[in-house]
Each structure stands twice: as structure tokens, then as C-alpha cells.
Amino acid sequence: MMKLFRSVGDWLDDRAGVRKLIHESLYEPIPGGARWRYVWGSTLVMAFMTQLITGIFLWMAYSPSTQTAWESVFYIQYEMNGGWLLRGIHHFMAQAMVVLLAIHFLQVVWDGAYRAPRELNFILGLVLMLIVLGLALTGYLLPWDQKGYWATSVGTNLASQTPAVGPEVKKLAIGGSEYGHQTLTRFFALHAGVLPGALMAFLVLHIALFRRHGLHARKPDPAKDAMFWPDQVLKDSIAALAVLTVVLLLTIYFGGAELTAPADPANPYDAARPEWYFLFLFQFLKWFPGELEVWGAFIIPGLIMTVLFLMPWIGRTRTGHLINIAMLCVLLGGAAALTAQAIHEDYFAAWNSKEEILKAGDPVQEARYEASERFLNAKEEAHREAERVIELAESPMRIPPAGALSLMYDDPLLQGPKLFAQNCASCHNYVDPTKPVEEQPHAIVNAEPTAPNLFGVGSEAWALGILNAEKIVSKHYFGYPGSPFVDGDMVTYVMEAVGPDVDDEQRAKAKEAFAKIAETLEAEAALPTAPKTNQERQNRIAEGRELMTGGLADMLEGGMSCTDCHKFHDEGDLGLAPDLTGYMSREWLLAFVRNPAGERFYGDNNDRMPAFGPHDNPQLNQLDDKSLGLIVDWLRGDWVRVSEPVEKFDEAP
Amino acid sequence: MSNTPDQPPPSLVKIPGRESDNRRSFFAITAAVVTGSIAVLTPIGVGIAAFLTPLFRKSKSPEVRIALLDQVPDDGMPRYFPVVADREDAWTRYPAQRVGAVYLVRKPGKEKPTAFTAKCPHAGCFIGYTPGSKVFQCPCHTSAFNLDGSRVNGDAEVAPRGMDTLPVSIRQAKTGDGNSIAEVWVEFIDFQTGHKEKIPTA
Ligand code: FES
């Protein structure tokens, strides 16, 4: 066996001179012996190799276009074996690289290792640093999620402010005047081709020059001189393993890299922030209002970069060297302070109490609190959206060819609240009155509603509310300010049936009847969330129908039942009060929102509710059919449920 | 692969049977440089030409129907409307997409609303508006704008100019029953961010 190895080795050595190569690379003298402080360069090389390897495997699954980028990253993250781990390592190693770079850089300056004859290598190192930052920047966009999209759009907009060539640079970078397929193809080419290629080329030069000049030892101790192999290699390997361990722990702790909802150019993302190591730049820009921006974005960073490049020459003398170190400390300290400030501003609302801020009455603090609150809400909302769209993508429906964004656009759970907030929330609220608002992420609170609360509309509980003497006159039903219905026939009727003046026995009877009617109304609505019917329930529903169409009149003192005002199936007439046939069913609600003043609904009694879709020409309507459907489906709780399949309510015969 | 010292550099090697001819070698050098350059530069040139495509594409600002005039009450309060237009992204055409958003503000007694694009003139984030509030707020670098679009803190605001207004026109459309109804149309122009002046991208 050994013989075979040796002869293969001989053959390779003869053809390629490998022995000499290996010898040269391993037997480099290290003045003063192996040290832990020399590991940073090697760990960086290891980190880059990790990025190269994980990057290539990610590349095998990634597809850069606006309809496939998010989708393929979703696939990597949630479907591929260990895909989350692969992506997580790539993600966190990128961050580790930035940290390692900073340490390496700091050490080189500290040790004065940039002095002659190593100036050129120092400059190569700075170029490498810029390339790594470029890789980080281009990689952020590739998942095409809200976070990356909005952060990058801010970044490229800033680039467009470069004096003279800005707009052209931006156009070339994003491949047009809007973000799209071409932005992704270009960023991907930069991220996976151009920049890694350049990095490798410069890295080879950097290492070659490093070998040429040898290690720069601060206090060489000739007695301890040693070779690179094996002592330093062992130290380097241990350090590399430590870095990898940290990256793995972070990946596992965070469950891999985050994937927010698919990028939506029409949906603002108030929590857009760059990756943490660019946060100081982001904060820095806030100091330069208006046209001073060029100072913050170009001139000052440009000056700083120039000074960094000049460090080897500044540091020729002892004083110069000290100046370099001082400058670097100021820069790093400044960056750390700005980062802390950015985080403090974003999380201000989480760390301070609203009452105290309001009590202090300082408008600056109040504005701060508000801005932070918006950021935190946007972040939470983004998480919710991401969770939902991932749930849909994982469901048996999968992602349609039009991409994941269409899953979002077609989902009542995601779109309903937004459309409701835009079109309905100026009058209606949407809160579960039985629970504190803080526990309801989907609540839409209108503190002073001018129309009924639409939470749970069509359900048995909602119908029972209308038939309850206290609830019907509350702001959640007909008791809102300016309501014409508080003094209307319905309230009078309920008061006469179950109000405070009714004797207990009569009230109990009426309540029992109303309970059955509420169940009957719920059956009309055919909500997907309604309980499954059984024989007993069906009997109650049938009794409820009878009560509505005349039975009530015999029981209650007023001598009236529902169909005296309402139409219900074949009984009663239209025109006085809303038709209860199919009450709050999808079809009923759609027709109602289209035109509430129609004969089938409120007619002349309509209280300010606008007609959202009265025209045959959909172009003329305030709400198109699709938006209407999304609102109605959301109100009715009719959306795809993946975790708990909905049992369809069987309509009573 | 270094030359051993006892070998002369390649350019001085005499090839048997060939005369050392200055003119000839000048020609050879020139020809080598030219042909070599053409061979290398052609693909680079073609590549760069393709890469520069975006600079030669002009984008058009779509005219978009935003709302019915009735939907914009004349109470001076901003109303948010998505901008729906066909969008083309390289090779894909997406019909009726939400390409942005505008705020329409109609002063009491005024017929025509003012349209503001929701894109922040600072770096392009979406400017937000909470109904009832006295200001528009940009979430990114906390620019704030008055309801007339001007900057709350003037030049102390990070945004270099106020919110961008868009050209508005009122058009009459026919309803199903033959009546006419007023619609608000907006030319949805995209402006460059970060400048004091409004410069359309394109
Ligand atoms: S993008 Fe609006 S303030 Fe920066």
C-alpha cells in the first residue's frame, strides 16, 4: 500500500513538482514560533472557503428571477435536506467574516505590519475588505424578500446620488429603472461570479506577498523560531473550528437565516434596515439632512477610505503609527456608538413605557417613541406575513407559477385586514369584545366607530349580540354615536322581548327562542368556521326557522316575529329591513357591500354606508370584485387553514 | 518556470534559416498585438454592449386611473390609493399590478385633488400616513412632511425636497345607465431620490 502511495507521489512530483510545492507552503519559518495571534488571516481564508463551498451548493438550488428567487430560497430553507443549515452557515459565516476582517485589520495596524516592505499587501488587504463588503451587500438582495428588497432599494437609491454619474450607475446596477429580474441576475452575477473571482485573485496576490515578506513578528525571539507546519497549522485549525462552531451555534439558535415575506414593491416595509454591520452607515446618514447627504454618503466615507489606504505612509514614524492606531480606535468606536444608537432608536418603544413618555410631554421623545413603535409593528407584521405565506407555500396547494407573491395577493387572511383598514375601518372596528385588544394581533381598532363591529360577523355569537338588550345598544352594534338605529324598530323589539322591563320568566323564554334563532342565522351564513351540525343542532335550527317566520309572535308580547319586517326565504317582504335569506353568506355580503342601499338590504334606511361596487363597469367601482371578495372572505373567516383543516358546515336540509 | 542563466532570453534566440529582419519583426509584433487584442476585446466589447442595455431603455410614465372623484372627500385629509398599472420586467409582462401608491388630498371647495407619490424623495421608502394625523411620516430615516407635502423641518429634514406631486387630470366616464362620472387620473412619474430638484428617472 505504502509503495503504491509512494509511486503515485513520485509520478505527481515528476509531472507537477508537488513535493516542492507542499514543502514550500508548509515549511515557512515563523520567527518566534507559532502564536495564537497569527490565526486571524487563516481563519479568514477558512471562512471564505466555507462561503465558496456553501455558496456553490446554494447556487445549485437558487434561481434568480422575481418569480423564482424567493421561491427557490423557500425551497432551500424549508424543503431541502438540511437546506436551512446550509443557508444558515452561509449567512452567519458572512457575518463572521466581517468580524474576522475587523480583527485582522486591527491587528495589522496595531502591530505596524503595514510598514515597508508590506505596504502593497496592506492595500491589497483593504481591497479584499471592500470586496467582502460588496459580497455582503449583493447577497442581501438575493432571497428577494421584503427585508432585502427594501434595504437594497435604499442602498441603490443612495448610489444614485453619486455626483455626475449616479443615475447611470444605479441603472446599470439594477439593470433598468425598476427592480426586477435584471436586478437579480446582475446582483447574482456579482455575488457568485465577479466578486468571488476578484476576491480569489486578490487573495492569491495577498498571500503570495505575505509569503514573500514573511510573518511580521513584533518581538521576535530567535530561540523559538519554528516552522509553519505543524504548530501554526494546528493553532489555525483550532481557531477555524472555533469560528465554525460559533457559526453553527448561531445557525441552530436562530433556526437558520430569516426569510421574510416575498418582496412586494407596492407594500411598504417600515422595518427595512441593512445588516447589522452596515447599521452604523445607515445611522450616520441621519446626521446629514437634505443636500448634505453627499457628505454622509460619499465625501466623508471616501475621505476615511483614502486615509486608510495611506496608513502605511502615515505610520512610517512612531508618531504616525500612534496616529493610525488612534484613528482606527476613533473609527471603530464611532461605528460601535452609531450602531448602538441605531438599535436604541429602533427599540426605543420596547424599552420605554408610553405613559411615562406622554407624561413627560417632550415632543422629541414622543416622535421617537412613535417612530420606534412603527418599526416594531412593521417587524411583527412582516413576521406574521412571512409565517403565513410560508404556511401557504408548504400546503398542498404549493406555489403557483406566478410566484409566491400571488399566494399573498390571493389570501384573505393577509389581504383582508389591509383592505378593511383602507376601506372600512374609518367606520367599522374589528375587535373581539370578549378579549383584551393586546391579545388580538388582527384587531383593527376604531375607538369611535360609526358602524357595527364586524368581528365574527354571521356567527352565532354575533347574532346573539344583536338579540341581546345590552349589546345591541353598545357601540359594537347599534349604539355607536349618531346611529339612527338606536331608536329604531329592531332595538325596540329586542327591548320589549328581553329588556330590563320584562319579567324574568318571559325573558328566559325569549332568550331561549333567540338562541335558536342565532343558530339558524349562523346556518344561513354557512361560515367555514361554524361547528359541525348534528341531529340535535339541526332540530334547533329548524325550530329557529319556525320562530322567525311566525312562532315568535305567539310567544312574545309584542306579537311580532322576524318576517314582519324582514324577508326570510319565502316569508315576508323586501324593503323594510335587510333580507335574512342567506344572511351574511358570501353571496349576501358581496351584494350588500356592493350596494347597501338596495331594496334587498337597507334601502332608504341606509346609514351612510357607501356603495363600494354599484357599477356594471368594474373600472368605475371603488372596490374591484377581487378586493371585495377578499374582504368578505376575511370577515367570514374563509381562508385556507393548513394546520387545522376546516370542517365545512353542512347546511340543514 | 524560470530560465537558467546559460540560456539567452527567448527574443534573442536565433532561429536557423530565418534572417533577423527588423521590419519583419515589427510587423509580426504589430500583427500579434492587433490580432490578439481583437480576439480578446471582441467578447469584452460585446459583453459590455449587452451590459449597457439599461442605459438605452427609456421607461414611460403610465397614466393611471386612481379613483373616482367621489372617493376623495374635500376635507383636506390625505387618502391612500394604490397605483395599478401594467408592469414590464425584462421579459415578463404583468398586467394590472400595484406599482406604487399615491396620496390624494382635496382642499375644501376644490374640484381637483393634489396627488403625492408615496415614494420618499430621500431614498425611496414608502411614506406612511395614519388617518387623522397632521403629518406624513417616512419610516426609514424619519422624514416628516406636512399635509401640503412640504418638509416639516425644512432643510433640517433628511429629505432634500418635499413630497413629489404628480400631474392630475379629471376625466369623465360613462356609467352603465348613461350618466357620467368624474375620475381622477394621475401621470405616475418616478423621480430620482436625493436631489433638491424633481428629476424624472427614465
Ligand atoms: S427614505 Fe424617507 S427618510 Fe430616508
Side-chain angles (χ1 to χ4, degrees):
Chain A
M1 198 61 183
M2 276 316 275
K3 242 177 121 184
L4 181 69
F5 273 136
R6 196 161 308 140
S7 62
V8 170
D10 287 345
W11 187 87
L12 272 176
D13 194 41
D14 184 43
R15 306 305 193 271
V18 276
R19 292 225 168 89
K20 193 165 164 240
L21 270 177
I22 292 175
H23 191 89
E24 267 179 12
S25 54
L26 290 180
Y27 292 93
E28 195 214 350
I30 299 181
R35 297 257 174 98
W36 282 111
R37 44 188 294 124
Y38 299 153
V39 300
W40 302 112
S42 310
T43 47
L44 267 170
V45 173
M46 180 283 301
F48 176 58
M49 293 312 291
T50 310
Q51 293 306 77
L52 216 60
I53 295 165
T54 48
I56 287 173
F57 283 108
L58 284 168
W59 190 346
M60 291 181 194
Y62 177 71
S63 168
S65 88
T66 59
Q67 275 156 327
T68 55
W70 188 91
E71 292 71 6
S72 58
V73 174
F74 159 80
Y75 187 74
I76 293 170
Q77 183 79 20
Y78 294 96
E79 312 265 324
M80 292 180 87
N81 295 334
W84 67 275
L85 193 60
L86 180 68
R87 188 168 164 253
I89 293 175
H90 197 73
H91 175 82
F92 288 106
M93 193 57 94
Q95 315 200 7
M97 254 179 113
V98 176
V99 175
L100 292 172
L101 256 177
I103 299 177
H104 186 53
F105 181 56
L106 203 64
Q107 195 192 7
V108 165
V109 175
W110 190 266
D111 289 354
Y114 49 54
R115 292 213 188 97
R118 297 184 176 83
E119 305 98 319
L120 188 57
N121 216 17
F122 179 79
I123 289 178
L124 285 176
L126 283 178
V127 172
L128 282 168
M129 182 172 88
L130 291 179
I131 296 176
V132 170
L133 294 181
L135 278 164
L137 210 65
T138 45
Y140 205 52
L141 177 78
L142 297 182
W144 202 246
D145 61 351
Q146 282 285 74
K147 189 175 80 167
Y149 178 90
W150 287 96
T152 311
S153 101
V154 172
T156 47
N157 278 329
L158 282 177
S160 79
Q161 289 168 36
T162 322
V165 291
E168 282 72 31
V169 168
K170 179 185 164 191
K171 248 186 158 179
L172 285 179
I174 71 172
S177 34
E178 274 168 53
Y179 301 87
H181 295 324
Q182 292 288 293
T183 319
L184 280 166
T185 51
R186 280 173 190 232
F187 270 59
F188 187 49
L190 280 174
H191 186 78
V194 180
L195 292 174
L199 195 129
M200 263 190 275
F202 280 100
L203 193 63
V204 167
L205 287 177
H206 190 67
I207 294 176
L209 277 187
F210 161 73
R211 304 301 295 237
R212 185 185 158 98
H213 300 307
L215 249 169
H216 171 88
R218 278 224 306 170
K219 294 183 205 101
D221 174 359
K224 285 196 189 147
D225 281 4
M227 284 293 159
F228 191 64
W229 174 264
D231 290 2
Q232 189 60 44
V233 172
L234 178 63
K235 289 199 161 59
D236 287 354
S237 308
I238 293 174
L241 192 62
V243 171
L244 185 73
T245 311
V246 171
V247 164
L248 278 176
L249 287 178
L250 282 172
T251 308
I252 292 166
Y253 179 76
F254 288 104
E258 187 188 20
L259 179 65
T260 53
D264 180 356
N267 187 11
Y269 180 58
D270 291 0
R273 295 289 181 269
E275 198 61 278
W276 63 264
Y277 41 81
F278 287 127
L279 212 50
F280 73 97
L281 270 180
F282 163 86
Q283 185 70 12
F284 189 58
L285 285 182
K286 292 191 193 164
W287 292 84
F288 297 90
E291 294 221 288
L292 293 181
E293 181 100 64
V294 268
W295 283 87
F298 301 101
I299 301 178
I300 295 178
L303 282 174
I304 291 177
M305 273 327 286
T306 315
V307 170
L308 291 186
F309 274 101
L310 291 177
M311 272 189 166
W313 290 275
I314 300 173
R316 275 176 149 165
T317 60
R318 218 187 124 61
T319 333
H321 179 58
L322 289 178
I323 290 179
N324 275 342
I325 293 179
M327 225 156 31
L328 204 59
C329 291
V330 169
L331 279 181
L332 283 178
L338 283 170
T339 309
Q341 195 186 28
I343 295 173
H344 181 254
E345 278 188 15
D346 280 347
Y347 290 87
F348 190 72
W351 297 330
N352 287 285
S353 104
K354 192 167 192 165
E355 283 82 59
E356 274 171 33
I357 300 277
L358 286 179
K359 225 168 45 202
D362 178 357
V364 177
Q365 295 291 69
E366 277 172 31
R368 233 190 190 180
Y369 190 92
E370 258 178 52
S372 158
E373 215 175 21
R374 270 200 306 276
F375 167 83
L376 294 174
N377 287 344
K379 217 174 138 155
E380 203 184 300
E381 173 70 19
H383 277 143
R384 236 183 288 133
E385 275 189 5
E387 254 170 48
R388 174 65 180 166
V389 69
I390 285 162
E391 181 183 41
L392 289 173
E394 281 180 322
S395 80
M397 305 187 316
R398 315 292 289 162
I399 299 171
L405 203 54
S406 65
L407 273 184
M408 283 183 70
Y409 281 167
D410 294 344
D411 182 34
L413 184 58
L414 287 175
Q415 300 306 321
K418 284 186 197 163
L419 290 163
F420 184 92
Q422 273 165 26
N423 294 284
C424 322
S426 56
C427 300
H428 296 275
N429 52 4
Y430 181 87
V431 271
D432 183 349
T434 62
K435 268 200 255 171
V437 178
E438 305 78 58
E439 286 172 24
Q440 306 177 52
H442 280 117
I444 295 174
V445 186
N446 181 335
E448 286 162 38
T450 54
N453 179 3
L454 295 183
F455 179 88
V457 89
S459 66
E460 183 184 340
W462 194 85
L464 267 178
I466 275 208
L467 299 170
N468 176 303
E470 278 156 36
K471 289 188 181 159
I472 192 171
V473 292
S474 77
K475 69 171 183 185
H476 292 300
Y477 289 92
F478 291 151
Y480 52 83
S483 163
F485 299 116
V486 251
D487 308 317
D489 295 340
M490 186 69 199
V491 173
T492 317
Y493 185 73
V494 170
M495 289 302 166
E496 280 174 7
V498 289
D501 303 337
V502 183
D503 72 68
D504 288 349
E505 191 190 331
Q506 176 70 26
R507 187 182 301 118
K509 249 167 72 186
K511 276 198 166 165
E512 172 58 21
F514 282 175
K516 287 179 187 155
I517 290 175
E519 282 179 56
T520 311
L521 287 176
E522 186 179 64
E524 290 295 309
L527 301 183
T529 45
K532 210 172 156 54
T533 40
N534 50 22
Q535 195 52 52
E536 188 195 342
R537 196 173 165 85
Q538 279 198 19
N539 292 343
R540 289 168 64 82
I541 288 168
E543 282 172 45
R545 286 182 167 217
E546 263 160 40
L547 287 165
M548 288 173 72
T549 50
L552 270 181
D554 307 331
M555 270 177 59
L556 302 179
E557 278 173 9
M560 274 167 73
S561 58
C562 306
T563 45
D564 289 313
C565 299
H566 299 270
K567 184 173 191 301
F568 186 58
H569 293 279
D570 299 333
E571 305 287 325
D573 296 309
L574 289 180
L576 276 174
D579 184 5
L580 295 181
T581 318
Y583 185 63
M584 298 292 174
S585 63
R586 187 173 201 272
E587 183 278 330
W588 190 98
L589 264 172
L590 279 175
F592 176 76
V593 181
R594 272 217 172 86
N595 186 15
E599 191 200 25
R600 189 176 159 200
F601 306 105
Y602 279 110
D604 296 339
N605 294 331
N606 181 38
D607 175 30
R608 293 166 294 172
M609 165 114 173
F612 284 87
H615 304 290
D616 304 332
N617 176 357
Q619 273 273 301
L620 297 176
N621 289 331
Q622 173 157 354
L623 277 173
D624 55 62
D625 286 359
K626 183 172 168 188
S627 307
L628 264 176
L630 287 166
I631 296 177
V632 164
D633 287 341
W634 175 65
L635 286 175
R636 292 171 32 80
D638 196 356
W639 55 73
V640 177
R641 281 172 178 76
V642 183
S643 30
E644 7 126 24
V646 175
E647 308 211 44
K648 271 272 176 206
F649 182 82
D650 305 308
E651 232 183 313
Chain B
M1 282 297 204
S2 61
N3 298 303
T4 44
D6 46 338
Q7 266 176 3
S11 58
L12 298 182
V13 177
K14 269 212 151 198
I15 295 171
R18 184 183 283 183
E19 298 242 321
S20 162
D21 177 353
N22 265 343
R23 261 178 51 217
R24 203 185 150 92
S25 71
F26 172 76
F27 177 75
I29 291 169
T30 317
V33 168
V34 170
T35 46
S37 306
I38 293 177
V40 174
L41 290 181
T42 306
I44 295 182
V46 175
I48 289 179
F51 178 76
L52 293 181
T53 309
L55 293 185
F56 302 99
R57 294 273 157 92
K58 289 260 168 288
S59 64
K60 272 209 298 288
S61 308
E63 286 218 57
V64 191
R65 176 193 166 281
I66 298 294
L68 297 177
L69 193 57
D70 293 353
Q71 288 168 246
V72 195
D74 61 350
D75 57 0
M77 284 303 176
R79 296 292 189 289
Y80 171 96
F81 294 96
V83 176
V84 177
D86 292 354
R87 193 169 66 83
E88 223 163 277
D89 178 4
W91 53 86
T92 314
R93 186 179 174 81
Y94 301 94
Q97 292 289 302
R98 288 195 285 181
V99 293
V102 292
Y103 291 102
L104 296 181
V105 184
R106 199 164 151 210
K107 294 262 173 58
K110 279 264 163 48
E111 144 94 321
K112 218 189 209 180
T114 313
F116 295 107
T117 165
K119 186 176 152 189
C120 181
H122 176 233
C125 290
F126 248 65
I127 300 169
Y129 177 74
T130 323
S133 162
K134 293 268 181 309
V135 284
F136 292 102
Q137 302 260 18
C138 179
C140 288
H141 314 95
T142 58
S143 279
F145 306 89
N146 296 311
L147 297 191
D148 64 358
S150 61
R151 294 168 296 171
V152 169
N153 297 316
D155 282 341
E157 206 70 79
V158 286
R161 58 174 193 264
M163 284 169 75
D164 294 321
T165 51
L166 298 168
V168 178
S169 59
I170 302 288
R171 299 188 190 172
Q172 298 298 328
K174 283 264 167 295
T175 61
D177 49 17
N179 292 330
S180 79
I181 191 163
E183 296 178 337
V184 183
W185 284 67
V186 160
E187 190 180 343
F188 192 59
I189 307 171
D190 185 48
F191 295 102
Q192 286 178 22
T193 55
H195 299 276
K196 207 156 184 64
E197 317 77 47
K198 283 164 72 178
I199 312 168
T201 52

